[in-house]
Amino acid sequence: MRFPDQPIYSGWDAPSRVEADIMELEADGEIPLDLRGRYYQVAPDSQFPNRTGDDVMFNGDGMLRMFTFADGHVDYRSRFVHTEKLKLERAARRSLYGAYRNPYTDHHSVSGRSRGTANTNVVLHAGKLLVFKEDARATWVDAETLETHGEWDFDGQVSSPTLTAHPRFDPTTGEMFTFGYEAKGLASRDVAYYVLDVHGKLKHEVWFEAPYTSLIHDFVVTDDYVVFPVEPTTTDLDRLKAGGRHWLWDPTKETYLGVMPRYGTADQIRWYRGPARSTYHYFNAYNEGTVIHMDGCVAEAQTASFMYPDTLGEERDLTMTVRRITRWTVDYSAEDGKAFEERVLKPEFAEFPLIDDRVETFRHRYGFIGARVLNDDGGEQNFRGLNSVQRYDFQEQRVVGQYGMPMGRSFQEPVFVPRGDDATEGDGYLLALVNDWDTMLNDLLILDTANLAAGPVATLHLPLRLRGGPHGSWVPEHLVQAP
């Protein structure tokens, strides 16, 4: 077996497939003693080259990573998530599943079997470590050993065959808010919305139809409302049956925001309209009475044109694919079909937005992003990827802290860790994996949010190359060990 000579299987995207245990990572600087817990991150890492001869990076098998912080020491562990797909392909010693999210390209022997790769996000809820890929259900993994227990449907309470990679949480009640789209099969307009309490018991369930089938990667929840964004990255069943791509960008369609009371019913959803937009991730949302503000990284067109071409066959204007910090405002008291308000807060590129999770669903002041910063002469400080991590103040609407990488290094998504339970909003640490393009190895940086410009307080060195991981989360040690 050899992986084909293609960009998707080369450089930082080359499969690693390394499961490792490394005790006591080498470190420069002082690891803060108040960091006690686990940083979990998951990445797509293909066990076999795709049987179609082509692929996209999001189609790899899930490789789960864990950094354990205790008493100024850090250990590392990684394991494949043993999904049904991975087990079947390992037994056959070859790829059996075809194109990204298109079962019509699979080998007949796996017809009807789960295509889930568990490669996009990982969170702890109700004592279970859950790994997500939004075209399948969650996968339950042991929080200590990273051993895979199997697909998890919350003891039969969640019937949707799909579940978002971005559940939302109420920090006061511990409730988890989640949903599945294409919930009644490929290209269906059906969305299933669930609220599960702190113990994992189903509290609320609603099924409804979106205006059209679209890629709904993220959503937001406020103290009183939930908002589902429907944007024109679209699918078509006939195209799938013909072996085509699951997603294409359709610039002729409008964006819709489906707004419903947090514990509302399908007949209470109101759809508010706006121009074609592409958003993968949101910071947060909050409401003031019936007025809802949601902040995200928004582009005028789908950024990933190499994966999601235009339905019209046209070249995309690159200036329209720049994601910018943008606020959408909608008033639930307005009648169905009204336009939502849009305001760009920061015109430069931004992605991987995050907040202090302790204020999720409530009004937030601070956010953190990965950014691309330009030199004084207009050239990029770095030549690949995200070269800067920034702290953004939504009250003052400006960047109030920044750390920029030297040439030849780029960031993966950072995660925020509060300095303590009583720390003020946004006061703590950012953990961020860094790709070194010269050595092709990774470091894990610990940045103090009170002074990002000072650079890392500690740098952990890995003797490995870790393929780019979309998302991760921090779990305090007392929650990992809770029964």
Side-chain angles (χ1 to χ4, degrees):
M1 179 200 77
R2 287 188 62 85
F3 282 87
D5 184 15
Q6 296 178 354
I8 191 60
Y9 296 131
S10 64
W12 280 101
D13 288 327
S16 169
R17 305 187 295 169
V18 173
E19 297 179 300
D21 289 276
I22 305 174
M23 183 178 183
E24 198 67 33
L25 290 178
E26 291 186 76
D28 295 326
E30 294 293 326
I31 299 169
L33 295 178
D34 49 358
L35 281 174
R36 294 187 59 84
R38 314 290 176 90
Y39 169 34
Y40 297 100
Q41 193 213 43
V42 68
D45 196 348
S46 298
Q47 172 69 74
F48 298 100
N50 192 275
R51 70 189 298 265
T52 64
D54 194 8
D55 208 356
V56 299
M57 69 166 293
F58 300 130
N59 208 26
D61 298 291
M63 179 67 79
L64 184 59
R65 305 156 180 167
M66 176 178 70
F67 296 85
T68 301
F69 288 73
D71 303 319
H73 304 274
V74 181
D75 300 333
Y76 172 81
R77 173 171 291 169
S78 62
R79 295 290 187 273
F80 268 116
V81 183
H82 283 235
T83 61
E84 183 176 29
K85 172 186 179 294
L86 181 70
K87 290 187 286 189
L88 289 170
E89 292 190 327
R90 280 189 164 183
R93 286 187 172 269
R94 63 190 177 95
S95 173
L96 299 172
Y97 292 78
Y100 178 64
R101 298 180 73 163
N102 189 344
Y104 295 101
T105 62
D106 293 347
H107 189 271
H108 65 83
S109 64
V110 295
S111 177
R113 309 297 287 269
S114 174
R115 306 184 91 249
T117 51
N119 69 10
T120 308
N121 201 6
V122 52
V123 303
L124 187 83
H125 178 65
K128 288 182 169 60
L129 190 66
L130 302 176
V131 189
F132 296 96
K133 175 71 172 74
E134 63 200 57
D135 61 348
R137 290 185 177 135
T139 300
W140 173 22
V141 174
D142 188 278
E144 184 73 43
T145 66
L146 305 189
E147 174 189 359
T148 303
H149 292 293
E151 187 178 270
W152 180 242
D153 62 1
F154 298 85
D155 282 329
Q157 300 176 103
V158 171
S159 60
S160 172
T162 64
L163 213 59
T164 180
H166 286 287
R168 294 282 176 170
F169 296 89
D170 186 312
T172 303
T173 65
E175 292 169 308
M176 182 172 81
F177 304 85
T178 186
F179 71 97
Y181 66 90
E182 292 184 272
K184 289 187 179 179
L186 283 173
S188 69
R189 293 164 49 202
D190 302 273
V191 178
Y193 166 60
Y194 300 97
V195 183
L196 297 121
D197 71 15
V198 68
H199 305 294
K201 300 300 182 184
L202 183 65
K203 182 175 181 178
H204 192 67
E205 178 178 359
V206 178
W207 288 70
F208 62 91
E209 286 190 347
Y212 58 85
T213 309
S214 77
L215 172 61
I216 312 175
H217 184 64
D218 195 4
F219 78 136
V220 291
V221 181
T222 77
D223 197 30
D224 297 310
Y225 297 96
V226 56
V227 184
F228 301 92
V230 173
E231 302 171 350
T233 301
T234 64
T235 192
D236 177 81
L237 189 58
D238 289 336
R239 182 171 74 235
L240 292 171
K241 290 179 177 179
R245 295 175 185 261
H246 192 111
W247 300 118
L248 293 179
W249 169 251
D250 185 350
T252 67
K253 292 187 179 298
E254 290 183 299
T255 294
Y256 289 81
L257 300 181
V259 183
M260 178 177 68
R262 184 192 269 206
Y263 308 109
T265 56
D267 60 359
Q268 292 180 291
I269 294 178
R270 298 176 184 171
W271 294 98
Y272 300 95
R273 305 166 70 153
R277 292 291 184 263
S278 174
T279 316
Y280 282 113
H281 304 117
Y282 300 92
F283 291 92
N284 184 43
Y286 64 94
N287 67 281
E288 299 172 311
T290 60
V291 177
I292 302 150
H293 305 285
M294 55 189 294
D295 295 325
C297 296
V298 180
E300 297 176 79
Q302 172 59 253
T303 301
S305 57
F306 61 98
M307 288 192 300
Y308 312 132
D310 198 305
T311 56
L312 305 180
E314 298 177 354
E315 290 294 324
R316 210 159 296 165
D317 181 348
L318 292 181
T319 62
M320 297 179 66
T321 68
V322 176
R323 300 193 184 281
R324 302 173 170 93
I325 296 180
T326 302
R327 172 164 292 180
W328 287 340
T329 299
V330 61
D331 189 344
Y332 185 72
S333 67
E335 63 185 57
D336 188 81
K338 289 288 187 180
F340 61 83
E341 177 188 322
E342 176 179 80
R343 186 156 58 98
V344 175
L345 303 182
K346 181 179 181 294
E348 298 83 14
F349 178 89
E351 187 49 287
F352 291 130
L354 66 149
I355 59 163
D356 184 331
D357 291 340
R358 296 173 301 163
V359 299
E360 187 168 10
T361 74
F362 304 112
R363 183 168 189 160
H364 54 278
R365 176 168 182 177
Y366 297 107
F368 302 94
I369 54 166
R372 292 185 190 140
V373 176
L374 303 181
N375 288 326
D376 293 338
D377 62 2
E380 290 199 27
Q381 286 183 358
N382 209 334
F383 64 119
R384 295 181 178 100
L386 303 172
N387 61 25
S388 177
V389 170
Q390 298 177 341
R391 175 173 175 159
Y392 186 80
D393 186 328
F394 282 92
Q395 180 173 300
E396 297 185 8
Q397 295 185 15
R398 65 185 183 93
V399 173
V400 292
Q402 174 176 290
Y403 173 65
M405 293 296 297
M407 180 68 74
R409 310 191 94 202
S410 59
F411 284 107
Q412 297 187 29
E413 180 203 45
V415 298
F416 173 77
V417 184
R419 200 178 305 274
D421 292 341
D422 298 327
T424 58
E425 180 193 346
D427 180 34
Y429 306 100
L430 292 178
L431 307 180
L433 277 168
V434 170
N435 299 344
D436 188 319
W437 292 79
D438 295 323
T439 65
M440 297 301 287
L441 298 174
N442 286 94
D443 291 334
L444 180 65
L445 303 190
I446 304 173
L447 299 163
D448 191 323
T449 62
N451 190 3
L452 290 178
V457 297
T459 300
L460 307 170
H461 302 291
L462 288 114
L464 299 170
R465 176 182 55 82
L466 304 183
R467 202 166 188 260
H471 301 296
S473 62
W474 170 262
V475 180
E477 189 65 25
H478 70 276
L479 293 182
V480 177
Q481 302 301 334

Coordinates of all heavy atoms in Angstrom, one line a residue, residues 340-391:
F340 N -32.2 39.9 8.7 CA -31.4 40.1 9.9 C -30.4 41.2 9.6 O -30.0 41.5 8.4 CB -30.8 38.8 10.4 CG -29.9 38.2 9.4 CD1 -28.5 38.5 9.3 CD2 -30.3 37.1 8.6 CE1 -27.7 37.9 8.4 CE2 -29.5 36.5 7.7 CZ -28.2 36.8 7.6
E341 N -29.9 41.8 10.7 CA -28.9 42.9 10.5 C -27.5 42.3 10.5 O -27.2 41.4 11.3 CB -29.0 43.9 11.7 CG -28.0 45.0 11.7 CD -28.1 45.9 12.9 OE1 -29.2 46.1 13.4 OE2 -27.0 46.3 13.5
E342 N -26.6 42.8 9.7 CA -25.2 42.4 9.7 C -24.2 43.5 9.8 O -24.4 44.6 9.2 CB -24.9 41.6 8.3 CG -23.5 41.2 8.2 CD -23.3 40.5 6.8 OE1 -23.1 41.2 5.8 OE2 -23.2 39.2 6.8
R343 N -23.2 43.3 10.7 CA -22.2 44.4 10.9 C -20.8 43.7 11.0 O -20.6 42.9 11.9 CB -22.5 45.2 12.1 CG -21.6 46.4 12.3 CD -22.3 47.4 13.2 NE -22.7 46.9 14.5 CZ -22.0 47.1 15.6 NH1 -20.9 47.8 15.6 NH2 -22.5 46.6 16.8
V344 N -19.9 44.1 10.2 CA -18.5 43.6 10.2 C -17.8 44.4 11.3 O -17.7 45.6 11.3 CB -17.8 43.7 8.9 CG1 -16.3 43.3 9.0 CG2 -18.5 42.9 7.8
L345 N -17.3 43.7 12.3 CA -16.6 44.3 13.4 C -15.1 44.4 13.2 O -14.4 45.3 13.7 CB -16.9 43.5 14.7 CG -18.3 43.3 15.1 CD1 -18.4 42.6 16.5 CD2 -19.1 44.7 15.2
K346 N -14.5 43.4 12.5 CA -13.1 43.4 12.2 C -12.9 42.9 10.8 O -13.2 41.8 10.5 CB -12.4 42.5 13.2 CG -10.9 42.4 13.1 CD -10.3 41.5 14.2 CE -8.8 41.4 14.1 NZ -8.3 40.8 12.8
P347 N -12.3 43.7 9.9 CA -12.3 43.4 8.5 C -11.2 42.4 8.1 O -11.3 41.8 7.0 CB -12.1 44.7 7.8 CG -11.4 45.6 8.8 CD -11.9 45.1 10.1
E348 N -10.2 42.2 9.0 CA -9.1 41.2 8.6 C -9.5 39.8 8.9 O -10.5 39.5 9.7 CB -7.9 41.6 9.5 CG -7.3 43.0 9.2 CD -8.0 44.0 10.1 OE1 -8.8 43.6 11.0 OE2 -7.9 45.2 9.8
F349 N -8.8 38.9 8.2 CA -9.1 37.5 8.3 C -9.1 37.0 9.8 O -8.2 37.3 10.6 CB -8.1 36.6 7.5 CG -8.4 35.1 7.6 CD1 -9.2 34.5 6.7 CD2 -7.8 34.4 8.6 CE1 -9.4 33.2 6.8 CE2 -8.0 33.0 8.7 CZ -8.8 32.4 7.8
A350 N -10.1 36.1 10.1 CA -10.2 35.5 11.5 C -10.9 34.2 11.4 O -11.8 34.0 10.6 CB -11.0 36.5 12.4
E351 N -10.4 33.2 12.2 CA -11.1 31.9 12.2 C -10.8 31.2 13.5 O -10.0 31.7 14.3 CB -10.6 31.1 11.0 CG -11.3 29.7 10.8 CD -12.8 29.8 10.8 OE1 -13.3 29.9 11.9 OE2 -13.4 29.6 9.8
F352 N -11.4 30.1 13.8 CA -11.4 29.4 15.0 C -11.7 30.3 16.2 O -11.0 30.4 17.2 CB -10.0 28.7 15.2 CG -9.7 27.6 14.3 CD1 -8.6 27.6 13.6 CD2 -10.7 26.6 14.1 CE1 -8.3 26.5 12.7 CE2 -10.4 25.6 13.2 CZ -9.2 25.5 12.5
P353 N -12.9 30.9 16.2 CA -13.3 31.8 17.3 C -13.6 31.0 18.6 O -14.1 29.9 18.5 CB -14.5 32.5 16.8 CG -15.1 31.5 15.9 CD -13.9 30.8 15.2
L354 N -13.2 31.6 19.7 CA -13.6 30.9 21.0 C -13.7 32.0 22.1 O -13.2 33.1 21.9 CB -12.5 29.9 21.4 CG -11.1 30.4 21.8 CD1 -10.5 29.5 22.9 CD2 -10.2 30.3 20.6
I355 N -14.4 31.6 23.1 CA -14.7 32.5 24.3 C -14.3 31.8 25.5 O -13.9 30.6 25.5 CB -16.1 33.0 24.3 CG1 -17.1 31.8 24.5 CG2 -16.5 33.9 23.1 CD1 -18.4 32.1 25.0
D356 N -14.4 32.5 26.6 CA -14.4 31.8 28.0 C -15.7 31.1 28.1 O -16.8 31.7 28.2 CB -14.2 32.9 29.0 CG -14.0 32.4 30.4 OD1 -14.5 31.3 30.7 OD2 -13.4 33.1 31.2
D357 N -15.6 29.7 28.2 CA -16.9 28.9 28.2 C -17.8 29.3 29.4 O -18.9 28.9 29.4 CB -16.5 27.4 28.2 CG -15.9 27.0 26.9 OD1 -16.1 27.6 25.9 OD2 -15.2 25.9 27.0
R358 N -17.2 29.9 30.4 CA -18.0 30.2 31.6 C -19.1 31.3 31.3 O -20.0 31.5 32.2 CB -17.1 30.6 32.7 CG -16.1 29.6 33.2 CD -15.2 30.1 34.2 NE -14.4 31.2 33.7 CZ -13.7 32.1 34.4 NH1 -13.7 32.0 35.7 NH2 -13.0 33.0 33.8
V359 N -19.0 32.0 30.2 CA -20.0 33.0 29.8 C -20.8 32.5 28.6 O -21.6 33.3 28.1 CB -19.4 34.3 29.6 CG1 -18.7 34.8 30.8 CG2 -18.4 34.3 28.4
E360 N -20.7 31.3 28.2 CA -21.4 30.8 27.0 C -22.9 31.0 27.3 O -23.4 30.7 28.4 CB -21.1 29.4 26.7 CG -21.7 28.9 25.4 CD -21.2 27.6 24.9 OE1 -20.5 26.9 25.6 OE2 -21.5 27.2 23.7
T361 N -23.7 31.4 26.3 CA -25.1 31.7 26.3 C -25.4 33.0 26.9 O -26.6 33.5 26.7 CB -26.0 30.6 26.9 OG1 -25.9 30.7 28.4 CG2 -25.6 29.2 26.5
F362 N -24.5 33.7 27.5 CA -24.7 35.0 28.1 C -23.8 36.0 27.4 O -23.1 35.7 26.5 CB -24.3 35.0 29.6 CG -25.0 34.0 30.4 CD1 -24.3 32.9 30.9 CD2 -26.4 34.1 30.6 CE1 -25.0 31.9 31.7 CE2 -27.1 33.1 31.3 CZ -26.4 32.0 31.9
R363 N -24.0 37.3 27.7 CA -23.2 38.3 27.0 C -21.7 38.2 27.3 O -21.3 38.1 28.4 CB -23.7 39.7 27.5 CG -23.0 40.8 26.7 CD -23.6 42.2 26.9 NE -23.1 43.2 26.0 CZ -23.7 44.3 25.7 NH1 -24.9 44.6 26.2 NH2 -23.1 45.2 24.9
H364 N -20.9 38.1 26.2 CA -19.5 38.0 26.3 C -18.8 39.3 26.0 O -19.3 40.1 25.2 CB -19.0 36.9 25.3 CG -19.5 37.2 23.9 ND1 -20.7 36.8 23.5 CD2 -18.8 37.8 22.9 CE1 -20.8 37.2 22.2 NE2 -19.7 37.8 21.8
R365 N -17.7 39.5 26.6 CA -16.9 40.7 26.3 C -15.7 40.3 25.4 O -15.3 41.0 24.5 CB -16.4 41.4 27.5 CG -15.5 42.6 27.2 CD -15.2 43.5 28.3 NE -14.4 44.6 27.9 CZ -14.0 45.7 28.6 NH1 -14.4 45.7 29.9 NH2 -13.2 46.6 28.1
Y366 N -15.0 39.2 25.8 CA -13.8 38.8 25.1 C -13.9 37.6 24.2 O -14.6 36.7 24.6 CB -12.6 38.6 26.1 CG -12.3 39.8 26.9 CD1 -12.7 39.9 28.3 CD2 -11.6 40.9 26.4 CE1 -12.4 41.1 29.0 CE2 -11.3 42.0 27.1 CZ -11.7 42.1 28.4 OH -11.4 43.3 29.1
G367 N -13.2 37.6 23.2 CA -13.0 36.4 22.3 C -11.6 36.2 21.9 O -10.8 37.2 21.9
F368 N -11.3 35.1 21.4 CA -9.9 34.8 20.9 C -10.1 34.2 19.5 O -11.0 33.4 19.2 CB -9.2 33.8 21.8 CG -9.1 34.3 23.2 CD1 -10.0 33.9 24.2 CD2 -8.0 35.1 23.6 CE1 -9.9 34.4 25.5 CE2 -7.9 35.6 24.9 CZ -8.8 35.2 25.9
I369 N -9.1 34.5 18.6 CA -9.1 34.0 17.3 C -7.8 33.7 16.8 O -6.8 34.1 17.3 CB -9.7 35.1 16.3 CG1 -9.0 36.4 16.4 CG2 -11.2 35.2 16.5 CD1 -9.2 37.4 15.3
G370 N -7.7 32.8 15.8 CA -6.5 32.7 14.9 C -6.6 33.7 13.8 O -7.7 33.9 13.2
A371 N -5.5 34.3 13.5 CA -5.6 35.4 12.5 C -4.3 35.3 11.5 O -3.4 34.6 11.8 CB -5.6 36.8 13.1
R372 N -4.4 36.0 10.4 CA -3.3 36.2 9.6 C -2.9 37.7 9.6 O -3.7 38.6 9.2 CB -3.6 35.8 8.1 CG -3.8 34.3 8.0 CD -4.0 34.0 6.5 NE -4.4 32.6 6.4 CZ -5.3 32.2 5.5 NH1 -5.9 33.0 4.7 NH2 -5.7 30.9 5.4
V373 N -1.8 38.0 10.1 CA -1.3 39.4 10.2 C -0.4 39.8 9.2 O 0.5 39.0 8.8 CB -0.7 39.6 11.6 CG1 -0.2 41.0 11.8 CG2 -1.8 39.3 12.7
L374 N -0.5 41.0 8.6 CA 0.4 41.5 7.6 C 1.6 42.3 8.2 O 1.4 43.0 9.2 CB -0.4 42.3 6.6 CG -1.6 41.7 5.9 CD1 -2.2 42.6 4.9 CD2 -1.2 40.4 5.2
N375 N 2.7 42.3 7.5 CA 3.8 43.2 7.8 C 3.4 44.7 7.4 O 2.4 44.9 6.8 CB 5.0 42.9 7.0 CG 5.7 41.6 7.5 OD1 5.6 41.3 8.7 ND2 6.2 40.8 6.6
D376 N 4.2 45.6 7.8 CA 4.0 47.0 7.5 C 4.0 47.3 6.0 O 3.3 48.2 5.6 CB 5.1 47.9 8.2 CG 5.0 47.9 9.7 OD1 3.9 47.6 10.2 OD2 6.0 48.2 10.3
D377 N 4.7 46.4 5.3 CA 4.7 46.6 3.8 C 3.6 45.9 3.1 O 3.5 45.8 1.9 CB 6.0 46.2 3.2 CG 6.3 44.7 3.5 OD1 5.5 44.0 4.1 OD2 7.4 44.2 3.1
G378 N 2.7 45.3 3.9 CA 1.5 44.6 3.4 C 1.8 43.1 3.1 O 0.8 42.4 2.8
G379 N 3.0 42.6 3.3 CA 3.2 41.2 3.2 C 3.0 40.4 4.5 O 3.0 41.0 5.6
E380 N 2.6 39.1 4.3 CA 2.3 38.4 5.5 C 3.5 38.1 6.3 O 4.6 37.8 5.8 CB 1.6 37.1 5.1 CG 0.2 37.3 4.6 CD -0.6 36.0 4.6 OE1 -0.4 35.1 5.5 OE2 -1.5 35.8 3.8
Q381 N 3.4 38.1 7.6 CA 4.5 37.8 8.5 C 4.9 36.3 8.3 O 6.0 36.0 8.5 CB 4.1 38.0 10.0 CG 4.0 39.5 10.4 CD 3.7 39.6 11.9 OE1 3.5 38.6 12.5 NE2 3.7 40.8 12.4
N382 N 3.9 35.5 8.0 CA 4.1 34.1 7.8 C 3.6 33.7 6.5 O 2.7 34.3 5.9 CB 3.4 33.3 9.0 CG 4.1 32.0 9.3 OD1 4.8 31.5 8.5 ND2 4.0 31.6 10.5
F383 N 4.1 32.6 6.0 CA 3.8 32.2 4.6 C 2.7 31.1 4.5 O 2.2 30.8 3.4 CB 5.0 31.8 3.9 CG 5.7 30.5 4.4 CD1 5.8 29.4 3.6 CD2 6.1 30.5 5.7 CE1 6.4 28.3 4.2 CE2 6.7 29.4 6.2 CZ 6.8 28.2 5.5
R384 N 2.3 30.6 5.6 CA 1.3 29.5 5.6 C 0.4 29.6 6.8 O 0.9 29.8 7.9 CB 1.9 28.1 5.6 CG 2.8 27.8 4.3 CD 3.3 26.4 4.4 NE 4.0 26.0 3.2 CZ 5.3 26.0 3.2 NH1 6.1 26.4 4.2 NH2 6.0 25.6 2.1
G385 N -0.9 29.4 6.7 CA -1.8 29.2 7.8 C -1.9 30.4 8.7 O -1.7 31.6 8.3
L386 N -2.4 30.1 9.9 CA -2.6 31.2 10.9 C -1.3 31.6 11.6 O -0.7 30.7 12.2 CB -3.6 30.7 11.9 CG -5.0 30.2 11.4 CD1 -5.8 29.6 12.5 CD2 -5.7 31.4 10.7
N387 N -0.9 32.8 11.5 CA 0.4 33.2 12.1 C 0.2 34.0 13.4 O 1.2 34.4 13.9 CB 1.2 34.0 11.1 CG 0.5 35.3 10.6 OD1 -0.3 35.9 11.4 ND2 0.8 35.8 9.4
S388 N -1.0 34.2 13.9 CA -1.2 35.0 15.0 C -2.4 34.6 15.8 O -3.4 34.0 15.3 CB -1.4 36.5 14.6 OG -1.7 37.3 15.7
V389 N -2.3 34.7 17.1 CA -3.4 34.5 18.0 C -3.8 35.9 18.6 O -2.9 36.6 19.1 CB -3.1 33.5 19.1 CG1 -4.2 33.5 20.2 CG2 -3.0 32.1 18.6
Q390 N -5.1 36.3 18.6 CA -5.5 37.6 19.1 C -6.6 37.5 20.1 O -7.4 36.6 20.1 CB -6.0 38.4 17.9 CG -4.9 38.7 16.8 CD -5.4 39.5 15.6 OE1 -6.6 39.5 15.4 NE2 -4.5 40.1 14.9
R391 N -6.6 38.5 21.0 CA -7.7 38.6 22.0 C -8.5 39.8 21.5 O -7.9 40.9 21.3 CB -7.1 38.9 23.4 CG -8.1 39.2 24.4 CD -7.5 39.2 25.8 NE -8.4 39.7 26.8 CZ -8.3 39.4 28.1 NH1 -7.2 38.7 28.5 NH2 -9.2 39.9 29.0

